[in-house]
Amino acid sequence: IVPANAFPTTQSEVQTTWSSLYAGVYNANDFLERISSKINTYSDTDRQLATLYIAEARALRAMFYFELVRRYGNIALMTNTEMSKQDPRTFVQVKPEKVYEFIEDDLLYASRILPYAQGLLSKVYATWAGYPVYDESKWEEAAKTARTLIESGKHALLSDYEQLWKNTCNGVWDPTESLIEISFYSPTVSGNSDPVGRIGKWNGVKTTSIAGQRGSCAGNVKVVHPFVTECRE
């Protein structure tokens, strides 16, 4: 019923996604508050590293909110950990444009330190320009941000599309086609659970695993045994 957009608010995927994304927001807020309170005590080297981590945390928080606002519309905007401790009945929903403004602020900050965050920012602007906000001024911002990425000369289309999957199997980040990557790998997951986290995708043609040929496929995750073996040689 999820692929058919015919599901109730009690649907497990709806509830789990909501709680997981807000857990990510809380963790990002917690990290930012903790590191910001200590950064002035760090050495120059550690301060530079902390600045990088802050940019990464803000980019992650922006991505979590981007998923939330697109999926759920009017949502509670938690900008600090204290807000998350409120009684849920006191939460106040804000309009999508306020969420987009918060996302923009995070990504503008992050992109000064992590230029690749501009890829996500361009997508945010393009979405902001459409439903449900329809702020058409953001089309220009989307084009401007995308142009900056294109003209940087750091990105292009790979001549061999298969290389994308080889890079994934070997944990190689190639910025040619990939602007931003976030690792959700969990080596402690066992049984039938997926050892890699997923964001933004629920659906897909489900297949069973075939020993020596392929792993289980959920549309966005597919591991073909011979191919993985070849990549690791």
Side-chain angles (χ1 to χ4, degrees):
I1 60 177
V2 173
N5 289 323
F7 49 84
T9 57
T10 55
Q11 185 77 23
S12 61
E13 289 89 346
V14 174
Q15 295 188 345
T16 300
T17 300
W18 171 275
S19 61
S20 296
L21 289 171
Y22 268 114
V25 168
Y26 180 87
N27 290 335
N29 284 337
D30 184 52
F31 176 81
L32 289 167
E33 289 170 11
R34 290 174 182 270
I35 200 169
S36 296
S37 67
K38 299 177 180 179
I39 193 170
N40 290 331
T41 66
Y42 294 165
S43 65
D44 289 343
T45 301
D46 287 345
R47 192 178 297 113
Q48 290 177 358
L49 190 59
T51 301
L52 176 64
Y53 289 161
I54 289 172
E56 290 180 343
R58 293 189 66 168
L60 281 170
R61 183 171 64 180
M63 187 190 68
F64 296 145
Y65 269 124
F66 189 39
E67 290 293 334
L68 281 164
V69 73
R70 286 189 297 166
R71 292 170 183 268
Y72 304 103
N74 291 15
I75 60 173
L77 187 60
M78 307 292 185
T79 60
N80 56 64
T81 55
E82 196 61 35
M83 294 178 69
S84 299
K85 299 173 184 177
Q86 297 174 216
D87 185 318
R89 292 171 295 182
T90 67
F91 292 159
V92 177
Q93 294 181 339
V94 300
K95 293 182 178 181
E97 49 263 44
K98 293 298 180 183
V99 181
Y100 279 113
E101 289 172 2
F102 188 78
I103 293 171
E104 178 187 34
D105 186 61
D106 266 350
L107 290 179
L108 285 174
Y109 176 91
S111 62
R112 290 196 293 268
I113 301 164
L114 306 169
Y116 300 106
Q118 289 181 317
L120 181 57
L121 180 58
S122 182
K123 186 175 182 179
V124 167
Y125 281 138
T127 308
W128 193 347
Y131 176 85
V133 181
Y134 294 115
D135 184 346
E136 295 190 359
S137 68
K138 300 307 176 185
W139 284 123
E140 183 177 352
E141 296 296 334
K144 185 189 305 181
T145 307
R147 187 180 300 113
T148 300
L149 285 168
I150 294 170
E151 294 178 351
S152 70
K154 296 180 180 180
H155 310 291
L157 295 178
L158 290 170
S159 57
D160 181 8
Y161 185 70
E162 188 175 282
Q163 189 62 43
L164 289 173
W165 309 108
K166 290 183 178 180
N167 288 342
T168 298
C169 290
N170 288 285
V172 174
W173 179 56
D174 183 348
T176 306
E177 283 199 27
S178 181
L179 300 179
I180 182 171
E181 294 184 11
I182 298 164
S183 175
F184 290 96
Y185 180 70
S186 175
T188 61
V189 174
S190 60
N192 293 324
S193 299
D194 190 345
V196 291
R198 294 179 281 178
I199 189 168
K201 299 177 182 177
W202 288 339
N203 310 321
V205 178
K206 183 70 174 178
T207 66
T208 56
S209 60
I210 300 177
Q213 293 187 30
R214 67 167 184 245
S216 179
C217 172
N220 61 316
V221 176
K222 182 175 183 180
V223 178
V224 182
H225 181 74
F227 182 72
V228 175
T229 303
E230 176 188 341
C231 288
R232 291 177 176 172
E233 291 178 351

